[in-house]
Amino acid sequence: MTHPLLELLHTRPRLAELAAYPFDFDVHRTEHCEDVRLASGASLEPIAGDDTGGTYFVCDGGPVLYASSEGDAGLIGADVREALDILIGLPACPASVTPQDGEERILAAVAEEEEELREWYGPTLDADRAELRAGLGLPERSPVELLARLHAAGARTEPDFVLLNAREGRAYRLMHDEPRPSVRDAVLAAVREDPARPRAAGGAGVEGSGGVDGPEGVDGPEGVDGPEGSELAWIRLAGQRGLRELARVRLIRMLDDTGPADGALIGALAEEFALLGDFWQAARAQRLYASLQDAPADRASAFCALARLERHAGDPDAARRALDRAVAALDGAPAPKELAGEALALGHPGVQPAPRP
């Protein structure tokens, strides 16, 4: 990426040295510990790293995202300039305070953390910080202001800048425990802002929703009751109201939190991802669902559905592997109609349809 401050760090070794230590922004460390991508599919470019294996990325539109090697990620600045402003001004950002704690407590916490940093780095911390700021053309700012900017950036991480493991599809945890609006509140806000948008299928609305479990006239997926069913109903409505990234991210978070006892929910999540057009995550959910099926016919049907999702996700090889598992589950029994249809679509050999009655 071309950015004036990054160019300065790449062309002036002294500035690069100071940025790397003690301010933990090393432009020569740009390889993350694993392949990652944004849930939205937007561009992501590594620009620096730190000494713990974490990586700084520039996202589409300019915001800077930090990803740790421990599975946490979040925006740390609206752009490269603000991110460096914060990293240099708060090299030992205290996790014990938030912008709501007030100036006195914030300054005390920052002073305590920086005193500990000086014990390791030496007495030239302030002079080196001033040199780096001057070299990059950054102003001196109060730690109170920088902490507020950091948390404001973090609050913008979800839904548009959620980081995923590119192989498994799981989401990184948010770095800051910022309060997030519920999907219900986001949908209601969207309705108030643009009531003319199409409603849910069948004309369902959200009027009178205060105190109810789900959108009026919108049921949760079959087999999923209680709070999870209600949440899925609101998520579906969010997607229909144009809040697709919010819907996608909440579905991903729900899937990440599932376990072997959540078979019905996992199957429903696969369907909801498919409705959003995210066939990669739909296949991930369906793969888990298929692995939980015990009866041969259920396993065959689940793997057949997985093959269809893998095909829509653009991975014909994975689709054929799913069909292989569907055939293996049948153990020689004739294939149901949907399995034979998928085999025909993929040119899969050896799948014989069940005889017509």
Side-chain angles (χ1 to χ4, degrees), residues 108-255:
V110 170
E112 182 178 349
E113 293 287 342
E114 291 204 354
E115 187 59 35
E116 184 174 335
L117 178 60
R118 286 186 185 88
E119 293 179 5
W120 289 93
Y121 182 73
T124 62
L125 175 64
D126 294 326
D128 290 345
R129 172 161 41 203
E131 180 183 351
L132 181 57
R133 275 176 167 159
L136 296 177
L138 297 175
E140 182 176 353
R141 298 187 191 275
S142 162
V144 177
E145 179 185 353
L146 294 175
L147 187 67
R149 290 185 175 216
L150 175 62
H151 280 257
R156 296 192 297 270
T157 302
E158 196 168 293
D160 295 321
F161 302 101
V162 171
L163 194 67
L164 306 180
N165 178 298
R167 294 185 179 181
E168 299 176 2
R170 295 180 64 87
Y172 274 53
R173 298 178 298 271
L174 292 175
M175 285 177 54
H176 303 291
D177 191 21
E178 302 287 349
R180 298 178 297 166
S182 69
V183 177
R184 173 185 179 278
D185 290 344
V187 169
L188 294 177
V191 171
R192 287 191 292 268
E193 182 176 334
D194 188 4
R197 283 189 69 93
R199 296 183 178 212
V206 295
E207 293 84 3
S209 55
V212 304
D213 292 333
E216 182 182 336
V218 181
D219 297 324
E222 184 177 351
V224 183
D225 301 318
E228 290 169 338
S230 174
E231 180 75 358
L232 284 176
W234 281 108
I235 289 173
R236 180 179 295 182
L237 191 53
Q240 293 169 347
R241 283 280 172 175
L243 305 173
R244 294 179 58 81
E245 289 312 313
L246 175 62
R248 185 201 314 273
V249 165
R250 294 303 171 88
L251 290 174
I252 292 171
R253 298 282 188 202
M254 289 184 77
L255 182 57

Side-chain angles (χ1 to χ4, degrees), residues 6-331:
L6 294 178
E7 288 182 358
L8 281 173
L9 291 173
H10 279 285
T11 57
R12 295 180 59 180
R14 172 60 178 168
L15 295 182
E17 178 185 351
L18 289 175
Y21 184 71
F23 302 105
D24 239 1
F25 188 88
D26 189 341
V27 293
H28 301 298
R29 294 188 181 192
T30 56
E31 186 172 346
H32 195 52
C33 58
E34 61 185 6
D35 293 335
V36 293
R37 51 167 286 191
L38 289 177
S40 67
S43 65
L44 191 70
E45 181 181 353
I47 56 171
D50 66 16
D51 62 3
T52 66
T55 308
Y56 300 94
F57 299 88
V58 169
C59 306
D60 188 34
V64 176
L65 180 140
Y66 172 76
S68 77
S69 60
E70 302 298 322
D72 303 294
L75 294 182
I76 62 166
D79 52 27
V80 171
R81 175 173 291 274
E82 183 175 73
L84 283 169
D85 213 357
I86 291 168
L87 291 170
I88 295 168
L90 290 175
C93 182
S96 59
V97 291
T98 69
Q100 289 71 42
D101 287 318
E103 180 176 356
E104 183 177 352
R105 183 175 175 188
I106 291 171
L107 293 177
V110 170
E112 182 178 349
E113 293 287 342
E114 291 204 354
E115 187 59 35
E116 184 174 335
L117 178 60
R118 286 186 185 88
E119 293 179 5
W120 289 93
Y121 182 73
T124 62
L125 175 64
D126 294 326
D128 290 345
R129 172 161 41 203
E131 180 183 351
L132 181 57
R133 275 176 167 159
L136 296 177
L138 297 175
E140 182 176 353
R141 298 187 191 275
S142 162
V144 177
E145 179 185 353
L146 294 175
L147 187 67
R149 290 185 175 216
L150 175 62
H151 280 257
R156 296 192 297 270
T157 302
E158 196 168 293
D160 295 321
F161 302 101
V162 171
L163 194 67
L164 306 180
N165 178 298
R167 294 185 179 181
E168 299 176 2
R170 295 180 64 87
Y172 274 53
R173 298 178 298 271
L174 292 175
M175 285 177 54
H176 303 291
D177 191 21
E178 302 287 349
R180 298 178 297 166
S182 69
V183 177
R184 173 185 179 278
D185 290 344
V187 169
L188 294 177
V191 171
R192 287 191 292 268
E193 182 176 334
D194 188 4
R197 283 189 69 93
R199 296 183 178 212
V206 295
E207 293 84 3
S209 55
V212 304
D213 292 333
E216 182 182 336
V218 181
D219 297 324
E222 184 177 351
V224 183
D225 301 318
E228 290 169 338
S230 174
E231 180 75 358
L232 284 176
W234 281 108
I235 289 173
R236 180 179 295 182
L237 191 53
Q240 293 169 347
R241 283 280 172 175
L243 305 173
R244 294 179 58 81
E245 289 312 313
L246 175 62
R248 185 201 314 273
V249 165
R250 294 303 171 88
L251 290 174
I252 292 171
R253 298 282 188 202
M254 289 184 77
L255 182 57
D256 288 350
D257 290 338
T258 59
D262 300 316
L265 174 60
I266 293 170
L269 288 169
E271 295 178 5
E272 296 301 318
F273 278 121
L275 286 173
L276 277 178
D278 190 335
F279 294 105
W280 185 61
Q281 287 287 352
R284 174 192 166 207
Q286 186 65 25
R287 202 174 300 119
L288 291 172
Y289 178 74
S291 70
L292 296 173
Q293 305 309 303
D294 294 323
D298 292 340
R299 287 178 64 82
S301 178
F303 278 113
C304 178
L306 174 59
R308 183 168 58 254
L309 292 171
E310 296 281 23
R311 179 163 58 87
H312 284 302
D315 193 341
D317 291 337
R320 291 189 182 93
R321 289 194 296 271
L323 279 183
D324 288 339
R325 298 193 68 175
V327 171
L330 290 170
D331 194 24

Side-chain angles (χ1 to χ4, degrees), residues 331-345:
D331 194 24
K337 181 179 179 180
E338 65 269 18
L339 179 52
E342 277 304 307
L344 181 63

